Amino acid sequence: MRDLSNHGYTRMTTDAEELLVPRWRKAALAICMFLITASFGFLQPFVPLYMEASGLTRSRIGLVTGFGTALALLIQPVLGKLSDRLDTRRPLMFASALAAGVAYSCYRFAHSPLEFMLLSAVGVNGTIYLNAAGGVLVGRMVGSRRGGSAYARYRVWGSVGYIVVALLTGWLLYRHTASHAAMTRILLEPVFLYGPWLFAIIAIACMFVPDVPTEPSAVPRNHRRGSAAPSAGLDPRVRPFLVSFFFYQFALYGASAYLSLFMKELGASPPWITATFATGVVCEVLVMTQVGRLADLYGRKPILTIAFTIMPLRLLCYIPATGPLWVMAVQSLHGLNFGIMGAIAIVFINDLATNQDRGAAQARLAAVGGLATAFGPATCGWIAQRWGIGSMFAAMAGVGSVGAAIFLARVQESHPAPGNPIECAPAALRPILRRLWRRIA
């Protein structure tokens, strides 16, 4: 048994994949995930509104948003490989948090699309890496058999943070105005004055997360710390998943980038907007508390199937909305989207990676997601500018359906030993359910 006492870790003899880490390090990781996702509580609802208040058209908002996430395709693999090479994530997380905080605090001084584009590139890539690194940290602590429940247990704290910050931001803005028509740049500036301070706290918490070092026995003799990690190549099950994941992210987050503008058209005030986003995340929390355990029991693919099939239907349900209450009701389906995808996609990649290439694997997932959320908002902005937001939702429902079809037809299970829930069903239904299960799993 390797002695990791100098790092504050003790390896358990009952499970070669699991590490028993000090509680204070686990708490630091939970705090990090709480704050990282909490930052989206002020970014997701109000970045589009702030850009529109600064004079940007919807198509330009899409281009600005897309540019930052498009760079993830170049930046995130570099950061992932660098973290694997150094066998540590803390310094990169610290730097990413500070960079994102500075970028978003500078929004108050930006006016032109180019200025917003450059700041978005820094801020978006900082937050993307922080999210990817969280998945890597959990993946290095636990094995594949119960990786779903372990990651969901940490990630759910992020959803709680989102709810708190989103509702608090909406309430603070509402103190200054009771009308959506007054959502000017001056009104929204406090969001980017106080919100970015969250990243300073994240930077501090990152220095205490359980960054588990790789065991020498798990590394080939010709590999030394500081050299490039050996890789057996990308698992063939990863590629079709990344393709389907691209279409999923393209549709959902392309359309979601304009949800606050859609609600503004329907007469929603700042509390309505933040409450709508928070409602989706409340449902996300409820789902995420259970989905990890179910994915460990029955496999990743059956659970991910729910997210892939629900998402296009959700986008179609926005179209006939007559007021913010309708949008809020549809937004509750976010629990079956990010509540599943936000946790199980990370776990799926962790299943197929090793500690020597886990950072690069998660960075690849982040890069694909970044590419999708780059072209998604840009495409959706172009559609919304010419044919309206309703047409945009319909088009993205079609894109999401393509992703669902690829996932169902091409993606294979990643769990090493998934169970079969069919045996718990009534005997008369089992033959039909077995056929359906074979198609899904």
Side-chain angles (χ1 to χ4, degrees), residues 13 27-28 39 87 91 135 164 180 201 205 232 284 297 321 336 344 349 361 379 392 407 417:
T13 57
S39 67
D87 198 20
V164 172
H180 69 281
I201 306 174
E284 171 189 313
L297 285 174
L336 294 174
I344 307 306
I349 298 299
T379 304
M392 178 204 70
F407 178 81

Side-chain angles (χ1 to χ4, degrees), residues 81-247:
K81 290 180 180 179
L82 181 60
S83 69
D84 288 336
R85 181 187 295 269
L86 300 175
D87 198 20
T88 182
R89 273 133 292 277
R90 289 178 193 152
L92 293 176
M93 292 177 73
F94 179 85
S96 296
L98 289 184
V102 170
Y104 287 121
S105 65
C106 288
Y107 264 45
R108 295 178 295 120
F109 309 108
H111 295 276
S112 69
L114 179 60
E115 291 172 332
F116 279 115
M117 193 175 291
L118 295 176
L119 293 175
S120 175
V122 177
V124 166
N125 276 279
T127 54
I128 288 177
Y129 179 77
L130 289 170
N131 275 288
V136 175
L137 294 175
V138 176
R140 291 170 70 90
M141 286 196 298
V142 298
S144 296
R145 291 181 180 271
R146 62 185 191 87
S149 58
Y151 182 75
R153 187 169 62 250
Y154 285 101
R155 179 57 185 75
V156 74
W157 285 107
S159 301
V160 174
Y162 184 106
I163 296 168
V164 172
V165 171
L167 293 177
L168 181 61
T169 304
W171 175 75
L172 290 174
L173 289 178
Y174 191 68
R175 293 177 60 188
H176 300 282
T177 179
S179 171
H180 69 281
M183 279 194 281
T184 63
R185 179 180 169 114
I186 294 176
L187 168 69
L188 296 172
E189 277 189 351
V191 173
F192 300 96
L193 175 62
Y194 301 109
W197 282 100
L198 286 174
F199 290 100
I201 306 174
I202 293 171
I204 296 172
C206 285
M207 302 309 295
F208 302 99
V209 295
D211 196 1
V212 180
T214 302
E215 282 195 292
S217 59
V219 182
R221 291 182 180 179
N222 61 352
H223 171 66
R224 296 180 180 179
R225 183 182 177 90
S227 63
S231 176
L234 187 67
D235 189 294
R237 289 171 289 180
V238 172
R239 289 189 178 90
F241 177 75
L242 291 180
V243 173
S244 61
F245 182 73
F246 172 86
F247 284 103

Side-chain angles (χ1 to χ4, degrees), residues 49 52 58 174 177-183 258-274 276 321-328 389:
L49 291 173
E52 185 181 58
R58 289 173 181 173
Y174 191 68
T177 179
S179 171
H180 69 281
M183 279 194 281
Y258 298 89
L259 188 58
S260 57
L261 299 178
F262 181 57
M263 294 190 67
K264 182 182 174 182
E265 286 185 355
L266 296 174
S269 61
W272 264 111
I273 293 173
T274 53
T276 297
T322 55
L325 183 60
W326 184 305
V327 178
M328 180 183 288
I389 294 182

Side-chain angles (χ1 to χ4, degrees), residues 217-422:
S217 59
V219 182
R221 291 182 180 179
N222 61 352
H223 171 66
R224 296 180 180 179
R225 183 182 177 90
S227 63
S231 176
L234 187 67
D235 189 294
R237 289 171 289 180
V238 172
R239 289 189 178 90
F241 177 75
L242 291 180
V243 173
S244 61
F245 182 73
F246 172 86
F247 284 103
Y248 180 95
Q249 296 286 96
F250 185 103
L252 180 57
Y253 291 100
S256 296
Y258 298 89
L259 188 58
S260 57
L261 299 178
F262 181 57
M263 294 190 67
K264 182 182 174 182
E265 286 185 355
L266 296 174
S269 61
W272 264 111
I273 293 173
T274 53
T276 297
F277 279 92
T279 296
V281 182
V282 168
C283 297
E284 171 189 313
V285 169
L286 297 176
V287 171
M288 201 173 284
T289 56
Q290 301 298 321
V291 72
R293 178 180 61 85
L294 294 174
D296 288 342
L297 285 174
Y298 305 120
R300 320 305 187 201
K301 187 174 180 180
I303 305 300
L304 287 168
T305 297
I306 298 173
F308 273 98
T309 54
I310 287 292
M311 190 270 288
L313 299 176
R314 169 187 165 187
L315 296 182
L316 291 175
C317 287
Y318 285 123
I319 297 174
T322 55
L325 183 60
W326 184 305
V327 178
M328 180 183 288
V330 178
Q331 187 69 7
S332 64
L333 292 174
H334 188 68
L336 294 174
N337 288 149
F338 193 82
I340 293 174
M341 190 66 69
I344 307 306
I346 301 290
V347 175
F348 184 94
I349 298 299
N350 273 339
D351 287 345
L352 305 179
T354 66
N355 278 350
Q356 285 72 52
D357 62 7
R358 199 178 305 279
Q362 290 294 347
R364 188 178 289 113
L365 177 69
V368 171
L371 183 65
T373 52
F375 287 100
T379 304
C380 287
W382 181 77
I383 296 173
Q385 189 75 26
R386 285 159 177 75
W387 294 290
I389 294 182
S391 298
M392 178 204 70
F393 282 130
M396 291 304 102
V399 173
S401 297
V402 173
I406 294 172
F407 178 81
L408 291 171
R410 300 292 305 278
V411 175
Q412 301 177 32
E413 178 60 61
S414 67
H415 192 282
N420 190 340
I422 304 304

Side-chain angles (χ1 to χ4, degrees), residues 9-30:
Y9 304 104
T10 304
R11 179 165 291 281
M12 298 174 64
T13 57
T14 56
D15 188 345
E17 292 181 305
E18 186 173 357
L19 291 168
L20 181 65
V21 302
R23 290 184 178 180
W24 63 272
R25 288 198 181 276
K26 292 181 180 180
L29 181 56

